[in-house]
Amino acid sequence: MKLCLFVWFLHLLLYLSWFSGSANSINGCVTKCGTTEIPYPFGIGKGCSASGFEVSCNEKSPSPVPSLFGTQFQILNISNGELQIDSTSYIATDCAHQINHTLAHITLPKEGPFTVSDASNSFMAIGCDTVAVISDDNSVTSGCVSLCTTQSSVANGSCSGAGCCESAIPKRARYLTLGASSMFGYRNVSSFSNCSYAFVVKRESFTFVEHKLQDFLETADIALTLDWAVGDLNCSTASSLACGGNSSCIDSKRGFGYLCNCSDGYAGNPYLNGSGGCQDIDECLDSELNPCVSEAQCHNEVPGYACVCPFGSTGDGTRRGSGCRKYFQILEAVLGTTLGFVIMFLCSMWFYCALKKRTLIKLKEQYFRQNGGLLLKQQVSTREGADCARIFSSEQLKQATQNYDESRILGSGGYGTVYKGNLEDGTTVAIKKSKVMDQNQIDQFINEVVILTQINHRNVVKLLGCCLETEVPMLVYEFIPNGTLHEHIHEKQSKTEISWPYRLRIATETAEALAYLHSAASMPIFHRDVKSSNILLDEHYTAKVADFGISRLVPMDQSQIPTLVQGTLGYLDPEYFQTSQLTEKSDVYSFGVVLVELLTGQRPVSYERSHENSNLAMYFLSSLKGKDLKEFLDESVMREGGAEQLRAVAELARKCLLLKGDKRPTMKEVAQELVRIADFGRQIRADDEETVEDVGSNRCLKVTDGEDVTHANLSLTYDFAR
């Protein structure tokens, strides 16, 4: 009898050792089933768990195992947000010797806190003639195929389709159906594998080896992961939270519901309050957790800790930080380090300055040669007075333009950008900086320097100097403040509109400058790019011809030179375009287009006009044949100019635009004719009430100061038959 009582007592102790644990704050509920911890919100028994987290424990078994939903899912481990369960009972099977294949179903409550984790699990299949499929209750289906013709084709540790294949599972699934079958009806079943298996398993917990093809069910030991969270709302939308004190709420990684975590410096169950919940960690009591060095004194704080170094020392006192160091050690280290750095710095600076100075000298020499300095010296040395007025350093121009600030840009052309600069002596200049640097651009740059040094005319922009010691060569001109003629004619909203007398004077000055280039310079110069945007206006609206980047010097014994055609659309001489023979009459044609711009106020090329009239020169010539001048001249020009004067200028423009260059007048003749026309206009305005009889039309022209009273009924039609 006593022996029976003793055996019964031993069984009772064994049971208590498996199904006992420390009581938590929920009515003294047990927190263990066998060796598995059951933390709240999970619980065993009524009132010991949150809704949906009830756990069963088969306490009558010698080795109790916790499970969900009765005995359906055996729990292996519980962590915050995840639950590991045994999945050996959920394997889909299909073998050649079986009539029917077996499907596997994983079913979770539709409204519960659990879903099959798509982030932690994979869908796998084993077999040599296998197609495996997984689907959920939302008609999401995926799968994989596993084939292996020979045993040597199977690679241990690999699940890429030879004996084993792998696929993702549907997201946030509560119901899954698994199936596996033969692709070829087992007609091609290998001698070492005649079964197919499909299952869900925790990723990286299953390693495929060859023998599993034959004895998988006998040796299967697999688990899968369930995600869990509290409720269906996230932290910001939940009306009340299940988190205890000293904890914080975090949104579940699966997209709905939330979890609780103890705050930094606290440990325990974040879903409980009181002694079972998140409590302060006393780092100083645990030698492994103690963060302080041996010299420092550890003080626990709520939360956290503090490491205090002894008197005469400094530092944070922690093992991971600076620890504790005595002051004299720090001073010695600082002085030694500082002295070493100072000596190293001085030596480095001396070496750097010497190297930089030498490099800078070599770089400037390289740029000087690269930018055509030798060619420039050769070009100007053969011509009297052909030196740049001043050689500027790169630092001077950088300072003058505030390091080439965008607000200093005056304009951009085909060969460079022009900046406004202020020199140290207060002089305002225009600095032209080339955009690119190839051999062609170097030639253009040297060409412009050489040409400008040959010119001495008040209506040609003056070259003040140049800079060759930078990567991009630069020219320094006198600053012309009133912009370009093109801006005043075509951009009237931003510039002052120019009256007809000023337009006529600008045309005359431009013609005189071009005539000087053609016939009075030491060597004739063809500008090659005459246009309104290359005619600058100073503060008195005096014309200044600019941009000689593509101009050409012409030997005295030649009247034309073959060149690659260059110029601007709308201004380009048709004869030059067809023959590639550059003559002085090419500039005459371009100047004729400028005259037409001054008369009409229209752009050289405009698609606002009809297609056949898009070219201004052609439109002007065709209009002269059948229209009155007043129909296509600018309104302000018609209002301010005299009829005879306008007719004379239009006739001169017509002659400049003749298709055959030898029939055009020279620039000298053009300039003389414009002077005559301007003098004629001044004589007419001098007589306030002079009446001029128009013999050709039998009409009278009465001119008063600044007003032509006959424009409204004066028809000026040209007869080109003469």
Side-chain angles (χ1 to χ4, degrees), residues 548-564:
F548 292 82
I550 61 173
S551 301
R552 292 298 300 269
L553 290 168
V554 185
M556 297 296 292
D557 59 344
Q558 296 184 23
S559 60
Q560 62 183 22
I561 51 177
T563 68
L564 179 66

Side-chain angles (χ1 to χ4, degrees), residues 629-647:
L629 281 177
K630 64 181 181 181
E631 294 184 27
F632 57 88
L633 294 190
D634 186 83
E635 293 182 1
S636 63
V637 171
M638 288 294 300
R639 185 172 58 253
E640 298 170 357
E644 292 295 334
Q645 194 178 55
L646 295 178
R647 181 159 49 193

Side-chain angles (χ1 to χ4, degrees), residues 444 447-448 451-452 455 459-461 510 513-515 517-518 524-535 544-554 561 566-568 576 582-588 590-591 667:
Q444 302 291 354
N447 186 62
E448 187 164 3
I451 288 176
L452 286 175
I455 299 173
N459 296 119
V460 176
V461 66
T510 303
L514 293 174
L517 296 176
H518 288 183
I525 301 168
F526 296 166
H527 189 282
R528 208 180 180 189
D529 198 19
V530 177
K531 56 184 178 181
S532 57
S533 58
N534 282 342
I535 300 173
K544 300 279 188 177
V545 178
D547 200 344
F548 292 82
I550 61 173
S551 301
R552 292 298 300 269
L553 290 168
V554 185
I561 51 177
Q566 287 182 278
T568 303
Y576 170 46
L582 180 66
T583 69
E584 64 174 325
K585 300 300 182 70
S586 300
D587 285 350
V588 174
S590 301
F591 179 77
M667 281 310 308

